[in-house]
Amino acid sequence: MTTQRHAEVAQRLPIQGHTKVHPELSDSVFSDGVWTLDVSRQKSTAPLINFHFANVPPRTRDFCKHFLWLLLNEETPINQMNRKHSIRSRLSVQSVRTTYHDILPFLRWFEFSKERNLSDLTPEALDQYADLIADSKVSYNPKRRQLLAVSRVWLLSPFLPAHYRLVSPPWERLGNLEDIVGASDWTAENKTEPIHPATMSPLLIWCQRLVNDLSTDVIEASSVRDKMKSSIPKEQPSNGLEIINSYIRELQLTGQKLPATIVRNRRQGRSTAVAAEYLSATLGVPQFALKGIHHKYEVSNEASAPLPYKPMGTIDGKPWTDSIDYYEATRLKRLVLTACLVVVCYLSGMRGEEVRALKRGCCTEITDDDGSTSFRIEGQTFKSATNEHGNLIPGGKTREVPWTVIGPVAHAIHIAERLHGQELLFPQSEFNVISRPSATRGTSVSNQSAKANVGWLIDWCNEQAERLEREHEIIPEDPAGLVVLRRFRRTLAWFIYRLPGGRVALGVQYGHLHSYTTDGYGSRVSAGLRDLFPMEEALSVSDGLARAVDAADNGSHVSGPAAERYKRAVEEYRDVYSGKVMNAKQAASLMRNPALRIYDNGPQILACCYDPAKALCHPDRKVSTSVGQSPDATACDSRCANIARTDEHIERIQQLIDESKREAESEAVPLPLRERSKQRVSLLEALVQAHDETGVEL
């Protein structure tokens, strides 16, 4: 950066206390003890961010303000760095907040140093700080960030008052942070845990049920409730007292009690109280007119404020409820919106932040030339949204290629649009348990709020499963922890490559006729899953080969027309990959190697040593040498030359033989099915015999 540029920035430094912290995002000024930045003005998915300077040591508080002001308003001259780096010259507000927390250890350390000013610190003193960070009990990334925060102070020193300027840190002269903080523990593997199938499957069933079958009831009931609430008068009608007394007499004659609602508080726990708002709307009197009514007549000991609406939704042909409670309508509306969020996140493959940023009208139906229909979603993408300098664009950018999604996703978006009238599809205000419209207006649902609402959704679904005696649809706790938005995208990729028929599921979800068409995959890009699929497929293949190596070490055998190819693949994998952590480069290398493309086909109980030239699984019989092509597990042909079976496969076949024999001998099984079981036993026993006779040791 030129001397002239230094002078220009120095002139604009906030020497006066009334200087604004940020021209667009904040009304705070430099002298304030707390800076508040409303990042949602740029990005709807971002929260309010506060910088509390009471946490900063008094001696460096003014410096910290200067430093943060520069990070928020100016570019860091990273061209002054001599070593290779990947840091950005302009940070997002969220990254500035992280840097604020990363510089605090340095400022607290300096607070107890003998030096008067930051400019008095010598390279030797900074070396001592680096040793302190290196010995701290945190992982590699925090250590690296804490040293880089000090490096940014040095880079911005020309713009700071003279007594705040730092000398070049020793680690910048060394040119390698790993010499100080150790080697990075980063790997290309996505460490986000997929949601367990036992949790994801019933969760998706309930979410689709809420969206498809029960949402109309919830929307209509909410509309009735809103009309009732808006009809409550502010003033007492002339006959108000007569209306109330007449209502009480009617209760006495019919033996009913005053309608109640459930109240929860910390001291008394769960209790009931008069459903005052409901009663006001029902009788047409203001709430203050009902004061003390519970002293005149007994209150029900359970929720009893049914809306004048008859639910029409059913579950397996049976009504799901007789009525919807006045106070439950708002909660149900929030749960349906949460179900929409889950369906869109999971079945679209979009990142959680991309889904949270969606707006009304984002989904359109497209009719193709052949008359088939598909659905496209237009919205913002954030991860790859950078400008010509490589800095992140704060508000993201419109995705060049719209996401292609299936009907259930489009329907969930349509239902979400019906649930409220706001521009954002999933606004925070609609997920709040306590209404705070002014505090959350214009912001998308936060990750924290989404996590809480998904948890409440699961609780409600389990309550209904027990109430309706559908215990098989209870959603168990996920072994890896709470269900959060970022896990849905990872789970979709995991399901596709790890479960039987996974690639068929991909074909169904994206409207393809054959899973074979996913291998040239045009929709992978439009679906937004391009980066997840290759790594997940490589990890799946690697895991299978790793198990084969273990089996080989235990003396396992392999048979079938591709037995020798399977054996060579296991040997090569042991020599090249065994015991190593899979990174992106190794994953790409593995998937480019045709000899290592071994796919386990669970339903067919075999391993496919995939060679496109020999494959019989593709209906159109096209032959391709593309590494992007993979077998169609649903069209596996027993005559194929790519088949191999290990001892593990044979054990599973033997279990199937035992089951088939029991069916063949059971008088409870119809005769035609018994005959079919006998035929299956003969075929399977032939496979076992062939393995015993021709199997070779791995």
Side-chain angles (χ1 to χ4, degrees):
M1 191 175 285
T2 64
T3 304
Q4 181 181 356
R5 175 67 175 144
H6 289 169
E8 290 174 357
V9 176
Q11 282 183 349
R12 297 195 294 111
L13 278 175
I15 297 175
Q16 296 180 333
H18 62 265
T19 304
K20 267 204 165 189
V21 169
H22 194 284
E24 299 172 7
L25 305 180
S26 180
D27 296 324
S28 300
V29 295
F30 187 82
S31 60
D32 289 342
V34 178
W35 292 357
T36 299
L37 287 94
D38 185 3
V39 192
S40 68
R41 297 179 190 177
Q42 287 181 335
K43 183 180 181 182
S44 66
T45 56
L48 284 173
I49 290 179
N50 295 310
F51 295 95
H52 294 270
F53 293 102
N55 299 327
V56 182
R59 196 152 67 108
T60 51
R61 195 168 293 163
D62 184 68
F63 155 77
C64 188
K65 288 186 174 184
H66 277 82
F67 178 52
L68 294 182
W69 188 91
L70 286 170
L71 291 178
L72 289 168
N73 293 279
E74 297 296 334
E75 290 193 2
T76 303
I78 58 176
N79 56 339
Q80 300 299 312
M81 302 180 77
N82 295 321
R83 62 180 177 85
K84 290 183 178 180
H85 62 83
S86 59
I87 67 173
R88 293 188 165 100
S89 61
R90 194 67 176 262
L91 297 178
S92 67
V93 179
Q94 292 94 321
S95 295
V96 173
R97 177 178 57 183
T98 302
T99 304
Y100 162 72
H101 290 292
D102 290 334
I103 200 66
L104 282 178
F106 175 69
L107 301 183
R108 289 166 181 156
W109 168 80
F110 177 75
E111 185 76 5
F112 296 98
S113 73
K114 63 181 181 180
E115 308 299 343
R116 181 177 180 182
N117 297 311
L118 290 170
S119 59
D120 297 330
L121 290 172
T122 62
E124 290 74 22
L126 293 178
D127 240 342
Q128 293 175 10
Y129 177 70
D131 291 340
L132 186 69
I133 294 299
D135 294 338
S136 62
K137 297 185 182 300
V138 294
S139 62
Y140 170 84
N141 281 334
K143 291 179 181 179
R144 177 180 176 275
R145 290 200 317 268
Q146 287 166 9
L147 294 184
L148 283 177
V150 178
S151 295
R152 282 194 182 271
V153 176
W154 161 62
L155 291 169
L156 290 168
S157 285
F159 313 138
L160 291 167
H163 54 290
Y164 292 152
R165 296 173 186 171
L166 280 186
V167 297
S168 174
W171 53 86
E172 293 299 338
R173 293 198 303 272
L174 287 172
N176 190 359
L177 281 176
E178 290 189 354
D179 291 341
I180 297 175
V181 298
S184 170
D185 55 1
W186 183 88
T187 66
E189 182 179 359
N190 188 338
K191 292 182 174 62
T192 301
E193 287 286 345
I195 302 167
H196 196 281
T199 301
M200 188 66 241
S201 295
L203 174 59
L204 184 60
I205 287 171
W206 275 106
C207 287
Q208 289 186 304
R209 178 175 288 149
L210 276 163
V211 172
N212 299 334
D213 304 328
L214 311 183
S215 60
T216 298
D217 281 343
V218 173
I219 292 170
E220 293 298 328
S222 296
S223 177
V224 171
R225 179 192 182 278
D226 292 343
K227 290 177 182 177
M228 288 179 65
K229 185 174 181 178
S230 64
S231 70
I232 298 175
K234 295 181 180 179
E235 301 293 335
Q236 172 80 301
S238 58
N239 61 339
L241 187 59
E242 182 182 341
I243 292 173
I244 296 171
N245 290 332
S246 175
Y247 176 72
I248 291 176
R249 285 195 298 270
E250 184 179 346
L251 292 180
Q252 291 172 336
L253 290 172
T254 57
Q256 299 180 65
K257 299 178 182 179
L258 285 171
T261 183
I262 302 299
V263 177
R264 294 177 177 87
N265 57 55
R266 293 181 180 177
R267 290 184 179 180
Q268 298 179 350
R270 185 179 183 274
S271 60
T272 57
V274 176
E277 186 176 286
Y278 169 76
L279 203 50
S280 292
T282 303
L283 300 179
V285 297
Q287 285 195 54
F288 67 78
L290 299 173
K291 187 176 181 180
I293 193 173
H294 60 287
H295 295 305
K296 298 179 180 179
Y297 201 71
E298 188 177 359
V299 181
S300 175
N301 57 6
E302 59 184 21
S304 54
L307 287 165
Y309 169 78
K310 177 65 174 176
M312 304 299 290
T314 61
I315 297 177
D316 288 346
K318 299 178 181 178
W320 71 284
T321 186
D322 295 328
S323 63
I324 295 177
D325 189 84
Y326 179 92
Y327 297 93
E328 185 73 0
T330 302
R331 179 194 180 203
L332 288 173
K333 185 178 173 183
R334 191 170 66 248
L335 292 176
V336 172
L337 190 59
T338 304
C340 292
L341 179 64
V342 170
V343 170
V344 176
C345 274
Y346 179 59
L347 294 182
S348 71
M350 297 167 67
R351 292 182 175 88
E353 187 174 27
E354 294 166 342
V355 174
R356 292 191 294 121
L358 290 176
K359 296 182 178 180
R360 180 177 296 274
C362 63
C363 186
T364 55
E365 183 176 349
I366 305 296
T367 302
D368 298 327
D369 294 338
D370 60 358
S372 61
T373 60
S374 59
F375 300 91
R376 308 286 169 82
I377 294 179
E378 293 187 3
Q380 297 293 103
T381 186
F382 301 98
K383 187 174 182 180
S384 58
T386 56
N387 59 23
E388 64 274 14
H389 303 297
N391 294 319
L392 285 174
I393 301 172
K397 64 180 181 181
T398 302
R399 199 168 190 270
E400 294 179 4
V401 182
W403 291 275
T404 300
V405 297
I406 52 171
V409 175
H411 183 60
I413 290 174
H414 171 65
I415 294 300
E417 290 173 337
R418 291 183 60 196
L419 285 166
H420 59 81
Q422 299 190 47
E423 181 185 15
L424 289 168
L425 197 63
F426 300 107
Q428 177 61 57
S429 58
E430 293 295 322
F431 288 86
N432 291 335
V433 176
I434 301 174
S435 179
R436 293 176 297 169
S438 59
T440 56
R441 186 180 292 114
T443 61
S444 303
V445 59
S446 67
N447 282 316
Q448 196 69 19
S449 181
K451 177 175 69 175
N453 276 277
V454 170
W456 294 327
L457 171 65
I458 291 173
D459 290 342
W460 181 87
C461 293
N462 288 340
E463 289 171 5
Q464 304 311 305
E466 292 181 0
R467 180 178 68 84
L468 299 171
E469 297 181 349
R470 304 182 69 85
E471 286 79 6
H472 60 287
E473 291 180 349
I474 287 177
I475 305 169
E477 288 186 13
D478 185 84
L482 297 175
V483 176
V484 295
L485 297 190
R486 69 175 180 272
R487 296 181 65 191
F488 287 113
R489 175 178 157 88
R490 167 74 164 128
T491 304
L492 177 61
W494 187 90
F495 265 66
I496 287 167
Y497 280 104
R498 302 303 182 104
L499 292 187
R503 291 185 69 81
V504 179
L506 176 66
V508 171
Q509 286 184 16
Y510 293 100
H512 296 301
L513 293 177
H514 304 292
S515 60
Y516 176 76
T517 62
T518 65
D519 300 317
Y521 202 51
S523 291
R524 224 189 271 184
V525 177
S526 58
L529 288 164
R530 173 176 53 188
D531 56 338
L532 268 184
F533 283 170
M535 191 66 189
E536 193 63 53
E537 182 175 10
L539 290 171
S540 177
V541 170
S542 177
D543 288 349
L545 285 167
R547 289 194 301 271
V549 168
D550 291 340
D553 292 341
N554 291 319
S556 183
H557 296 74
V558 62
S559 63
E564 288 299 326
R565 277 190 283 145
Y566 187 93
K567 182 177 180 179
R568 289 195 299 270
V570 172
E571 292 170 351
E572 182 175 349
Y573 181 85
R574 177 193 283 114
D575 295 339
V576 178
Y577 298 100
S578 186
K580 296 181 179 179
V581 176
M582 181 75 65
N583 58 35
K585 186 176 180 181
Q586 290 169 331
S589 174
L590 185 148
M591 297 312 295
R592 283 197 302 268
N593 187 341
L596 296 182
R597 304 201 69 194
I598 310 295
Y599 296 84
D600 195 76
N601 188 339
Q604 300 297 327
I605 318 183
L606 56 83
C608 174
C609 304
Y610 187 62
D611 180 350
K614 298 180 174 67
L616 301 179
C617 56
H618 301 311
D620 52 12
R621 302 290 292 116
K622 287 182 180 179
V623 174
S624 170
T625 58
S626 168
V627 294
Q629 184 171 311
S630 55
D632 183 353
T634 63
C636 192
D637 193 316
S638 61
R639 301 166 298 170
C640 186
N642 289 334
I643 291 175
R645 289 188 175 89
T646 65
D647 289 353
E648 181 183 355
H649 293 119
I650 297 304
E651 287 177 8
R652 288 159 56 194
I653 289 175
Q654 189 59 59
Q655 292 173 2
L656 192 56
I657 289 173
D658 295 340
E659 293 174 7
S660 298
K661 283 182 176 179
R662 285 194 293 270
E663 289 181 1
E665 296 169 359
S666 174
E667 295 184 359
V669 177
L671 184 60
L673 293 182
R674 276 187 275 166
E675 291 299 322
R676 188 180 302 172
S677 296
K678 290 178 182 178
Q679 294 173 6
R680 187 188 306 156
V681 168
S682 299
L683 292 172
L684 294 176
E685 285 181 336
L687 294 177
V688 174
Q689 183 178 353
H691 182 80
D692 292 340
E693 294 175 354
T694 64
V696 295
E697 189 171 351
L698 277 172

